[in-house]
Amino acid sequence: MLNAAQERAVAHLGGPCLVIAGAGSGKTRVITHKIARLLRAGYAPAEIAAITFTNKAAAEMRERARDLLDDRKAAQQLVISTFHALGVRILREDGETLGLRTQFSILDSDDVASLLREAGGTTEIKQARAWQWRISQWKAALLQPQQAAAQARDPEDVQAAKVWLRYQEALSAYQAVDFDDLMVLPLRLLQQHDEVRARWNRRLRYILVDEYQDTSDAQYQLLRLLVGENSRFTAVGDDDQSIYGWRGATLDNLKRLPEDYPDLEIIKLEQNYRSTNAILRAANAVIASNPKLYPKRLWSEHGEGDPVEVREADTDEDEAERIVARLQALRGGRGCKWADVAVLYRANHQSRPIEQALRRANIPYAVSGGQSFFERSEIKDVCAYLRLLANPDDDPAFLRAVTTPRRGVGAATLKSLGAFAAQWKVSMFEALFRDALTAAVGARHADGLREFARLMHDIDWRERTEPAGELLRSLLTAIGFEAHLRDSADNEREATQRWGNVNDFCDWIARKAEEDGVGLKRIAQTVALITQLAERGTQQDVVTLSTLHAAKGLEWPHVWLAGCDEGVLPLYTDDRPLSDSGLEEERRLMYVGVTRARQTLTISHCRKRRAGGRGARVYEPSRFVAELRAELPKTDNKAQALARLQAMRKRLSAVAQEQPEALD
């Protein structure tokens, strides 16, 4: 059943609609039910697009739509994807209008840094990353390299603009794009080519956008071009949960929506289905100090619940030990699973003392938001072969594949090959088939390179008839990849783990190809967009450690919000003081953390905390703690402790009666 506000949001089909969805108010439910309503109203599945910000969110939305529709075929035809995946789809179909081949490559961050080092004539990865960040900012601002060069004032920007020009030439030569291009190029395509825009307007008749508050200027402009004059769209978002300003998201998009669409229907979802009222009062108290675009106040039918607790620790080590004690109390007193609990914090480095304390207590945990599966070096190595299979002109993929495992091709040989390819104006892989290769790199090296070319040609030929999973495993056997991993690992345990990751990847490729009915090459074209391995059946019973940013969109029965110290949350230093907008975003981050909790919430701050390599320093409680304290009832800590002890004794007594052997 939908509540009254949700029903209004689902039923409004005739024009633009903005749904202000508070935390835990059922926004995904609204989106999926609206998809079902659109289908009943006569829309074809392929005419409906639902846009999310992560692959995980897109997969969850598709699964929930499939369950609601009870029609796997219709759910499969829906366009449910991230903004960037939609950009890929547009470019695959119409990119030739911009001179882009259908099988272009998508470079990852490491490939981009490598090209920038080459374009800038440096070996310093730090410098390349600085250029990468600046160019990304320029692209987000929809500038061209020539415009950036004209606007550059300080020497760093002047140099970065010059590097960008050479980098852009390399992208064009390699028929490749970077992550930012997946927004910029579709936008340029729709802006400059009326017939392409009109075709997409007819094709996508209704668009739904999730997490609208996280859209950038480019994404908003792309949305406007896609919906066209019909203005049939629903944007779902929450101005109180906008926490990605550092990567281009802007609340201006929420401000300009009613200006650009005067007939915009605005609907607020304020009933929370996640948390108790004690937790929601704390959340409302924190966010109340921020200016409001669309004022709302969350409420729940879950009752009052346990009071929110604020605890003070002497040091971050003491804080970690208190966290362990709380986890053990939840486990013993309430019978919670470890997976029912999350410990959240502002920055990654804060997890170290917590991890150490958990290991000492033998409490299993997993760190969320750490290294992505697809960022592991062994997976990147395999992906290089797949990218080269999809696009033989992908020079960065060629360079990684041809040197992994090592086959006697060194830097000098590759330099000669690069010069030879440039002379003939072909990619490095294409150069392997030229008769003059032997003269360019020498007979021995030419033989090794041609052997690699024959291997890839054989895989390309077999791809037409063999299943993707079997063919990938055949490729890995042919290149001796398992032996390579064992030879390059520091120990047997590391080698086994890395080979296990590769096997998981092969299994995923096989399942994905079978589900989609495609071969290895088609899967390879999209693999660079995937940020994490598809979730396997059941989750492990482990405590989650996560940054607040990585926790967005998730929830747990019990949450401990650590490190609520002034200077930590909100995060600032003497060298980097907070602006008004920065403080507002930090407050929204605190609000996101508070609203992750369903049943209990504990907030902690420290008198002293280690600050990098400078030793411990004194901290005051975060101003956000003071803001929510006003809503916290006065509690008797001694009475609470006695109540928890009694609950634990009751639990142990029940266990003793049911399973006497468990206490032996």
Side-chain angles (χ1 to χ4, degrees):
M1 290 288 293
L2 300 172
N3 65 37
Q6 291 173 333
E7 177 60 34
R8 279 183 59 209
V10 168
H12 186 82
L13 306 181
C17 180
L18 172 62
V19 180
I20 301 298
S25 62
K27 65 181 178 63
T28 305
R29 180 178 176 82
V30 166
I31 293 173
T32 52
H33 274 74
K34 192 154 192 173
I35 290 172
R37 191 71 58 92
L38 288 164
L39 292 172
R40 288 201 297 270
Y43 286 81
E47 294 175 334
I48 303 170
I51 306 175
T52 68
F53 275 80
T54 66
N55 287 310
K56 182 178 179 181
E60 178 187 354
M61 190 174 294
R62 184 177 296 281
E63 188 65 31
R64 291 178 66 169
R66 182 184 294 124
D67 293 342
L68 183 64
L69 298 175
D70 197 26
D71 184 342
R72 296 183 66 88
K73 185 176 181 181
Q76 195 66 33
Q77 291 173 344
L78 294 167
V79 181
I80 300 179
S81 71
T82 64
F83 263 107
H84 290 85
L86 180 60
V88 172
R89 181 178 295 213
I90 293 171
L91 292 177
R92 293 283 186 214
E93 296 192 21
D94 291 297
E96 289 182 345
T97 306
L98 297 177
L100 199 61
R101 295 179 192 168
T102 302
Q103 291 187 354
F104 59 84
S105 296
I106 304 169
L107 303 186
D108 65 17
S109 182
D110 287 347
D111 292 331
V112 170
S114 178
L115 282 182
L116 286 172
R117 281 194 290 181
E118 184 178 336
T122 181
T123 59
E124 292 292 330
I125 187 63
K126 185 177 180 181
Q127 178 63 72
R129 293 295 187 195
W131 289 331
Q132 188 174 357
W133 176 251
R134 191 68 184 105
I135 291 169
S136 181
Q137 288 179 311
W138 280 328
K139 287 190 176 186
L142 304 178
L143 295 179
Q144 297 274 21
Q146 296 81 358
Q147 293 172 306
Q151 295 180 13
R153 293 293 178 266
D154 58 77
E156 290 80 8
D157 275 3
V158 170
Q159 178 65 17
K162 291 179 180 177
V163 171
W164 187 13
L165 278 167
R166 293 193 286 271
Y167 167 66
Q168 205 63 40
E169 291 171 357
L171 288 180
S172 180
Y174 296 158
Q175 283 291 298
V177 299
D178 60 28
F179 201 63
D180 296 307
D181 289 330
L182 299 180
M183 279 294 93
V184 175
L185 293 181
L187 179 58
R188 187 180 305 160
L189 179 65
L190 298 183
Q191 285 174 331
Q192 297 176 357
H193 300 277
D194 295 344
E195 73 285 355
V196 176
R197 182 175 66 252
R199 186 163 61 253
W200 281 94
N201 290 160
R202 292 191 300 270
R203 182 169 175 179
L204 301 180
R205 293 178 55 208
Y206 201 98
I207 296 178
L208 303 102
V209 181
D210 190 17
E211 304 287 7
Y212 177 75
Q213 77 279 351
D214 294 332
T215 53
S216 65
D217 180 55
Q219 287 163 342
Y220 178 68
Q221 292 192 46
L222 182 64
L223 172 65
R224 291 202 66 193
L225 290 169
L226 285 171
V227 300
E229 296 179 357
N230 290 329
S231 304
R232 290 177 180 164
F233 69 88
T234 295
V236 182
D238 181 8
D239 50 323
D240 290 335
Q241 296 188 72
S242 179
I243 59 174
Y244 294 110
W246 49 274
R247 70 180 189 194
T250 172
L251 277 175
D252 288 342
N253 289 348
L254 275 167
K255 297 176 184 176
R256 55 205 283 202
L257 206 57
E259 298 170 0
D260 292 338
Y261 298 94
D263 58 339
L264 181 73
E265 181 80 7
I266 301 175
I267 301 168
K268 297 179 186 177
L269 305 182
E270 296 175 288
Q271 181 176 357
N272 177 282
Y273 292 90
R274 175 187 300 158
S275 308
T276 63
N277 280 301
I279 292 169
L280 294 182
R281 272 203 311 278
N284 288 330
V286 167
I287 206 63
S289 298
N290 267 10
K292 295 292 183 181
L293 285 176
Y294 302 97
K296 64 181 181 303
R297 190 167 183 84
L298 298 180
W299 61 277
S300 169
E301 293 182 344
H302 287 328
E304 177 63 16
D306 291 1
V308 174
E309 296 185 46
V310 177
R311 300 188 181 183
E312 182 178 72
D314 291 329
T315 64
D316 47 356
E317 288 91 351
D318 179 36
E319 180 182 50
E321 293 299 336
R322 288 170 180 260
I323 290 171
V324 166
R326 171 64 171 165
L327 296 180
Q328 291 170 330
L330 287 170
R331 180 84 163 182
R334 295 182 184 240
C336 295
K337 296 184 296 184
W338 295 126
D340 290 336
V341 190
V343 182
L344 310 181
Y345 37 79
R346 176 63 178 84
N348 277 310
H349 67 83
Q350 290 173 253
S351 74
R352 183 175 179 182
I354 301 171
E355 290 186 64
Q356 291 172 337
L358 291 174
R359 286 197 294 268
R360 285 195 298 270
N362 293 318
I363 295 177
Y365 69 90
V367 180
S368 177
Q371 186 185 43
S372 161
F373 184 88
F374 279 80
E375 291 174 348
R376 300 178 188 276
S377 61
E378 62 271 19
I379 304 303
K380 282 190 171 186
D381 291 338
V382 179
C383 286
Y385 281 88
L386 298 183
R387 285 170 45 197
L388 188 62
L389 178 66
N391 177 12
D393 294 333
D394 187 340
D395 278 2
F398 168 80
L399 290 170
R400 185 162 194 143
V402 80
T403 56
T404 310
R406 295 192 177 277
R407 45 177 56 87
V409 179
T413 302
L414 292 174
K415 183 177 180 180
S416 299
L417 178 62
F420 178 67
Q423 176 186 348
W424 287 94
K425 294 183 173 57
V426 295
S427 67
M428 297 176 79
F429 184 75
E430 180 66 25
L432 304 187
F433 299 92
R434 300 280 167 157
D435 293 335
L437 177 66
T438 301
V441 302
R444 183 169 62 88
H445 296 306
D447 288 343
L449 289 168
R450 287 197 176 106
E451 181 61 31
F452 174 78
R454 282 192 290 271
L455 168 70
M456 295 306 299
H457 185 270
D458 177 59
I459 295 296
D460 182 57
W461 178 261
R462 293 165 59 189
E463 191 271 342
R464 305 169 196 182
T465 57
E466 295 187 28
E470 294 179 14
L471 184 58
L472 179 56
R473 290 189 182 278
S474 177
L475 168 63
L476 296 178
T477 299
I479 63 176
F481 196 68
E482 182 179 5
H484 158 72
L485 290 180
R486 298 197 180 281
D487 290 343
S488 59
D490 291 336
N491 52 61
E492 182 62 24
R493 180 180 177 184
E494 178 189 336
T496 301
Q497 184 177 30
R498 292 175 68 189
W499 181 240
N501 291 336
V502 172
N503 279 317
D504 286 347
F505 179 62
C506 292
D507 290 343
W508 180 85
I509 287 286
R511 287 197 307 271
K512 181 69 173 170
E514 186 175 355
E515 288 172 3
D516 295 350
V518 297
L520 185 59
K521 187 180 292 188
R522 183 66 179 273
I523 292 293
Q525 290 174 359
T526 59
V527 75
L529 276 179
I530 302 166
T531 58
Q532 62 182 20
L533 193 63
E535 290 190 5
R536 304 172 204 166
T538 58
Q539 287 186 323
Q540 291 182 306
D541 186 21
V542 297
V543 174
T544 297
L545 307 185
S546 175
T547 63
L548 289 167
H549 283 100
K552 174 79 178 297
L554 303 176
E555 60 183 74
W556 295 267
H558 309 283
V559 169
W560 184 300
L561 183 47
C564 293
D565 311 320
E566 191 67 16
V568 179
L569 180 64
L571 180 63
Y572 63 89
T573 63
D574 294 338
D575 297 334
R576 299 178 62 184
L578 270 176
S579 62
D580 289 344
S581 62
L583 175 59
E584 291 167 11
E585 181 156 325
E586 291 289 308
R587 185 176 283 111
R588 292 193 293 268
L589 196 55
M590 177 77 173
Y591 174 81
V592 165
V594 170
T595 54
R596 298 311 93 196
R598 297 209 301 259
Q599 298 173 20
T600 71
L601 172 66
T602 307
I603 296 168
S604 61
H605 58 90
C606 301
R607 295 189 186 94
K608 291 183 179 181
R609 182 178 296 277
R610 287 175 296 181
R614 298 172 297 190
R617 54 168 287 194
V618 176
Y619 283 89
E620 295 293 327
S622 167
R623 68 188 77 184
F624 303 149
V625 173
E627 290 169 357
L628 65 81
R629 271 189 190 277
E631 289 292 331
L632 300 184
K634 302 300 181 182
T635 58
D636 184 341
N637 290 333
K638 184 176 181 180
Q640 281 188 2
L642 286 172
R644 285 197 295 269
L645 183 59
Q646 289 173 353
M648 186 179 297
R649 286 173 175 168
K650 186 177 180 180
R651 170 75 178 168
L652 290 173
S653 176
V655 171
Q657 292 177 8
E658 296 173 8
Q659 301 175 350
E661 71 280 0
L663 299 181
D664 290 344

